[in-house]
Amino acid sequence: MREPVELRRQRILSVVRSRGAVKVSVLAAELDVSVVTVRRDVEELTRVGRLRRGHGVARPVVDAPEPATVPAARTEEPAGDGAAVALVVPERHSYLYETLHGARTVLEESGMRIALHIAPQSAGAERPLVERALADGARGLLIAPRWRNAGSEELDYGWLAEVGVPTVLMERRPRPGSALHALDSVCSDHWYGTHLAVDHLVSLGHRRIVLAARDDSPTARTIRTAFAEIAAARPEVDDWSTVLSSPAAVPGPGPQTPGAPAEAPPAFDPDGDATAVDLAALLRERGATAAVLHGDVDALMLVQRLAEGGIQVPRDCSVVAYDDVVAALGSTPLTAVAPPKAEIGRAAAELLLYRLAGTAGATGPVRRTELLPTLKIRGSAQPIPTPED
């Protein structure tokens, strides 16, 4: 199903606001659409005053500070890349771009130059980028590895623990007891976020709940595990189950996370290709009246498919999305769990600057910081009708 126009334009705005000027051709490649389509979107966003357009480039309405500029008061700092902090995030990840924007604000206000590296969607993509940044003289590292599966996560533990410069993980919590357990990290408490979603639905009278979630990131795996634990422990929940939110949301080849709850597999066509998740059929089969959907893009697409299957949100099924990047933009704005994405980036950058300051205490105990998500109520979830209704 084609991505809604407004959703695509919101993704364009997110990328441009987080990076500054971006070539139209780069946007087209990242959004997996034609250059003509992106050019038309940029023209419309420019017309309504949300972007500025140059020769083949989309720019934010307010120019971001020049990343190579260091304030005069800090001229004693080493020039060039020696004064840089490397930021490494996955490509095509609007959630982490908000985190990146939060970190960028803190670093630029401190006068620290930023060296941004976008990791492609391939196994082990982060390591050569980090090695290149270190060779260029980066003083510190903020990183959010993709970690599509538990195997790729384990492979990164050894080299990332030996980077040799102050490092802070963003939105990642390594396996307890691993080589990265004693590495500074700042992330959202996704167990609490999942609790907010389930608790809200239970408070509205829902007793049979489905989780449609991704399974190709640490956040997704945490949400799936948390949902199983929380739903099983709530006496009010009569039945719960999980399904992939998208056929493409799988971890890929490699070892899977042990102990993950059983799930309904995605459908497959006769040629062996994954097809759209039939959430409407699952809801009918389980008698479910509510669903938690992760992440936002998958959530909006699934709500559309529910409508095609004759299930209206919230009349027939209440929905809570997880991520809140673009959940409010649907034809039915979605109630959503909102992790503090920008605040994660700001807190991670502040912690890294603290480590780089070299003052007394800057080499103190490792910090593993968790920030709590909030619930944004927008009306896609409503109480179960009583017989009198």
Side-chain angles (χ1 to χ4, degrees):
M1 183 179 293
R2 184 175 299 173
E3 183 179 47
V5 173
E6 187 57 35
L7 176 56
R8 186 178 64 244
R9 290 175 180 172
Q10 185 64 29
R11 292 175 64 194
I12 291 172
L13 285 171
S14 177
V15 173
V16 173
R17 287 168 178 169
S18 65
R19 299 190 211 170
V22 183
K23 290 183 178 180
V24 169
S25 58
V26 171
L27 287 168
E30 292 198 12
L31 273 62
D32 197 22
V33 296
S34 69
V35 171
V36 172
T37 297
V38 174
R39 186 178 296 121
R40 186 165 55 242
D41 288 340
V42 170
E43 289 174 352
E44 177 59 22
L45 290 169
T46 300
R47 186 186 68 80
V48 297
R50 303 179 76 183
L51 283 182
R52 291 190 298 126
R53 183 164 58 94
H55 294 293
V57 174
R59 303 177 185 276
V61 174
V62 178
D63 281 331
E66 196 66 31
T69 300
V70 178
R74 297 181 60 91
T75 54
E76 72 279 4
E77 289 287 339
D81 290 326
V85 162
L87 265 146
V88 181
V89 295
E91 68 170 330
R92 301 185 186 181
H93 206 306
S94 55
Y95 177 107
L96 286 172
Y97 287 161
E98 290 196 38
T99 301
L100 163 64
H101 183 70
R104 173 187 178 182
T105 301
V106 171
L107 293 172
E108 289 182 342
E109 286 177 354
S110 76
M112 187 67 69
R113 198 177 76 78
I114 300 167
L116 175 62
H117 299 269
I118 307 296
Q121 299 185 51
S122 57
E126 288 85 5
R127 183 172 185 174
L129 295 178
V130 171
E131 290 174 345
R132 185 184 312 160
L134 295 176
D136 288 341
R139 296 175 55 197
L141 173 65
L142 291 174
I143 184 169
R146 187 179 298 277
W147 287 348
R148 285 180 62 92
N149 56 49
S152 64
E153 180 176 336
E154 293 281 348
L155 288 175
D156 281 347
Y157 282 175
W159 70 265
L160 195 49
E162 303 296 332
V163 164
V165 298
T167 299
V168 180
L169 287 170
M170 300 186 298
E171 279 295 25
R172 300 291 182 257
R173 182 71 80 224
R175 176 177 56 79
S178 69
L180 294 187
H181 189 118
L183 189 70
D184 285 327
S185 60
V186 180
C187 70
S188 302
D189 184 344
H190 293 299
W191 187 97
Y192 182 74
T194 307
H195 160 75
L196 289 177
V198 174
D199 191 64
H200 181 59
L201 293 171
V202 167
S203 73
L204 295 175
H206 297 280
R207 300 295 179 259
R208 306 177 75 84
I209 306 171
V210 169
L211 170 71
R214 305 188 68 83
D215 192 22
D216 56 358
S217 74
T219 296
R221 293 190 288 275
T222 300
I223 291 170
R224 295 165 71 83
T225 301
F227 177 81
E229 176 185 328
I230 293 166
R234 293 291 297 251
E236 306 97 326
V237 178
D238 296 329
D239 183 79
W240 63 271
S241 58
T242 65
V243 65
L244 285 173
S245 58
S246 164
V250 295
Q256 305 301 303
T257 305
E263 66 177 24
F268 288 86
D269 68 16
D271 295 325
D273 296 326
T275 59
V277 176
D278 193 347
L279 183 58
L282 179 66
L283 291 170
R284 291 192 180 98
E285 175 188 336
R286 305 301 291 245
T289 60
V292 180
L293 307 181
H294 171 255
D296 278 9
V297 173
D298 290 341
L300 292 171
M301 302 293 276
L302 286 170
V303 168
Q304 291 175 188
R305 292 191 187 115
L306 287 177
E308 293 168 359
I311 295 179
Q312 296 295 324
V313 174
R315 185 194 67 191
D316 306 313
C317 177
S318 290
V319 164
V320 176
Y322 200 107
D323 274 359
D324 200 38
V325 177
V326 290
L329 300 179
S331 55
T332 299
L334 301 181
T335 292
V337 175
K341 298 173 282 292
E343 289 80 1
I344 291 291
R346 284 193 283 270
E350 288 168 355
L351 177 53
L352 184 63
L353 290 174
Y354 172 71
R355 296 299 187 201
L356 291 171
T359 56
T363 57
V366 170
R367 299 187 178 186
R368 293 164 59 85
T369 304
E370 285 191 331
L371 305 183
L372 299 187
T374 56
L375 184 69
K376 306 291 186 180
I377 296 177
R378 299 192 179 97
S380 62
Q382 66 181 21
I384 287 285
T386 62
E388 293 75 18
D389 294 337

